[in-house]
Amino acid sequence: MLFVGRGDPPFLLAFGSGKLAHEENKVDGQMILQAATGPSSNQAIGTARLGKRIVLGGERALQAPPLPPPWKKWLLWLLLVGGVAVLAALARSLMREMNKG
């Protein structure tokens, strides 16, 4: 198992957040492997010590956030219904014009 630390120590390993999207947070595995097996890998690899366990978010952090409203779908249906209403108004206008003569 390889942990990549960023910034100044001491580092905090946080896990279990339901707020993170899986696709957005992909890490390039090739970059990590090169860092671990490269010429300076002996300097980069160190020993980790287990510290005090801290609960950051509790059970609420494990739950995924609610889905956003499907506004794109609503907009599409609004435009489709609006288009049908315009076509109906045009057909009604054409029918009135044809019945006059």
Side-chain angles (χ1 to χ4, degrees), residues 22-44:
H22 295 289
E23 289 100 25
E24 295 174 4
N25 297 313
K26 287 187 179 175
V27 178
D28 185 17
Q30 190 66 27
M31 180 181 71
I32 294 174
L33 285 176
Q34 286 175 354
T37 59
S40 64
S41 64
N42 290 338
Q43 297 171 355

Side-chain angles (χ1 to χ4, degrees), residues 35-97:
T37 59
S40 64
S41 64
N42 290 338
Q43 297 171 355
I45 297 177
T47 304
R49 289 187 315 266
L50 185 60
K52 186 174 114 178
R53 184 175 182 172
I54 303 169
V55 178
L56 296 176
E59 290 296 320
R60 282 187 50 199
L62 296 176
Q63 297 173 356
L67 295 174
W71 63 271
K72 288 181 182 179
K73 188 183 282 189
W74 295 344
L75 180 63
L76 175 65
W77 277 106
L78 181 67
L79 289 173
L80 287 172
V81 169
V84 169
V86 168
L87 285 175
L90 288 172
R92 185 176 180 200
S93 171
L94 186 60
M95 290 278 290
R96 283 184 182 172
E97 193 175 310

Side-chain angles (χ1 to χ4, degrees), residues 8-29:
D8 297 324
F11 299 111
L12 173 67
L13 176 63
F15 61 93
S17 177
K19 296 177 184 173
L20 298 176
H22 295 289
E23 289 100 25
E24 295 174 4
N25 297 313
K26 287 187 179 175
V27 178
D28 185 17

